[in-house]
Structures are given as structure tokens and as C-alpha cells.
Amino acid sequence: MGRRYYCDFCDKSFADNVSNRRNHLNGVQHRALKKLHYESLQDPEVILSNDASKRPCRQFHQSGDCRFGGACKYSHLTPEDRERLKTLVATQQESKKRKLPPVLTTDPGEHLAEWLNGRKRPASENPDDRSVRKDESVEDESVVKLRSYSIPSLLNGFTNLPVSILPPEPKSLLNVDLVEWG
């Protein structure tokens, strides 16, 4: 068996030779799927601007299908899709206005060293330490010192950080059984 060519756009494979590949790459189905793929990666702002001048496609909105597909000159966006894109564009513009910290222009070692130095301070000097009462009915022995955890300032501007990086809530640590590790 000879070499095979696999097309990611079409999810097909065929014998790899010049004529087969040329025929496939110039085929209508391949071009349509390639266009559909790249359109799905467009910026929401571009999608909205392209769609603003188009009227709704009657066939698509009545039956949910249009025989022209991506080549249709009318809009296939529902009002809900349009509103979702508008909110997405607004949040993107807002995040640009907030001016997120430049990740690549500064030395991450400086931010890391600053963060580590802040964590090395004794508990008495650290303003983030808080006393939290475990149970209000019991007196002095129920006061527990909880450290407030934080993330490096370099990561503060990022949204959707993994849960493993986010600091725990201080009150969530009250009922945890502390076991010494080996």
C-alpha cells in the first residue's frame, strides 16, 4: 500500500499522488469545507460587520436549512446569535481598554521574585492574614489564623484561569482535616 493523503477539512484520505491531490484541493466540496473552517475562526467583530448589511435569509429561518449554505448572500444569524456576538465584542473591547499586563514585554522572573518575597514575610507582618472564628459559641481556642492566598500580579489580568491556580477561599479551609504529609 502506497502513501495516503489525509485532508483535515474533509476528513478523507486517498492515494497520495499529484493528480489526486490537485483534483481534491480544487474540488467544490473541499473548497466549501475549507471556507467554512476559516469563517468559523473569524473575529466576532468581523462577522458582525459583514452581517450588518445583509437581510435575513427567509429559507434558513423558516426551515433551518439553506441550499446555498455559506455562499448565501443573506444572513443566517438569528437575533440571539447576533446579540451573543455583540456582547462578545463588547467584552473583548472592554478587556482591551483595561490594558492587560504585557506578558511578553516584561521579565516574568521579576514578577515571580516579587510574589515569592511577599509570601516569605512572617505571618505577623503579612496584612493578608486574617483571624476567623470557627464557631461563634466557643471562646478563645476556636480562633484560627488563616492565610489569604494570592496569585502573582502577572496573572491578575487573565480570565478563566484553571481552578488549580486560583487561590482558595479562606472560609473553605475551616472544616478541612489537616493531615501531615510524609
Side-chain angles (χ1 to χ4, degrees):
M1 185 166 171
R3 291 177 25 196
R4 309 236 356 125
Y5 178 79
Y6 177 75
C7 177
D8 288 320
F9 299 112
C10 304
D11 195 26
K12 292 182 179 179
S13 70
F14 49 86
D16 189 18
N17 60 44
V18 174
S19 64
N20 285 353
R21 191 183 290 201
R22 185 178 343 114
N23 288 340
H24 175 76
L25 294 177
N26 292 329
V28 174
Q29 183 181 12
H30 174 78
R31 286 184 172 187
L33 290 172
K34 183 178 173 184
K35 181 182 178 194
L36 184 66
H37 171 74
Y38 284 111
E39 283 177 354
S40 71
L41 299 176
Q42 275 184 340
D43 189 38
E45 196 170 351
V46 173
I47 294 172
L48 274 177
S49 66
N50 289 343
D51 197 62
S53 61
K54 295 181 180 180
R55 293 187 315 197
C57 178
R58 245 184 309 161
Q59 181 69 30
F60 183 78
H61 291 290
Q62 287 174 354
S63 66
D65 191 33
C66 176
R67 63 184 174 142
F68 297 106
C72 186
K73 66 179 184 176
Y74 299 107
S75 171
H76 290 175
L77 287 180
T78 62
E80 295 85 22
D81 291 339
R82 190 170 280 116
E83 285 302 315
R84 184 180 51 83
L85 284 173
K86 284 181 183 177
T87 57
L88 187 60
V89 166
T91 56
Q92 285 179 349
Q93 288 175 347
E94 182 181 316
S95 68
K96 286 179 184 176
K97 287 180 184 176
R98 280 191 291 149
K99 296 183 181 176
L100 296 177
V103 178
L104 299 176
T105 58
T106 60
D107 181 23
E110 293 174 14
H111 293 286
L112 184 60
E114 176 186 325
W115 181 71
L116 287 173
N117 287 336
R119 295 187 52 92
K120 288 181 183 176
R121 283 187 271 165
S124 60
E125 294 178 18
N126 197 340
D128 292 336
D129 285 348
R130 300 182 203 147
S131 294
V132 178
R133 206 169 273 289
K134 210 175 188 182
D135 183 9
E136 294 295 325
S137 63
V138 180
E139 291 302 317
D140 293 333
E141 60 268 354
S142 67
V143 174
V144 178
K145 276 280 211 194
L146 291 180
R147 177 166 169 71
S148 178
Y149 294 93
S150 63
I151 58 174
S153 61
L154 181 66
L155 297 176
N156 283 338
F158 292 99
T159 56
N160 299 330
L161 288 173
V163 177
S164 60
I165 294 178
L166 295 175
E169 291 291 326
K171 292 185 180 187
S172 68
L173 300 173
L174 282 176
N175 297 324
V176 175
D177 293 331
L178 300 175
V179 180
E180 281 207 29
W181 289 8

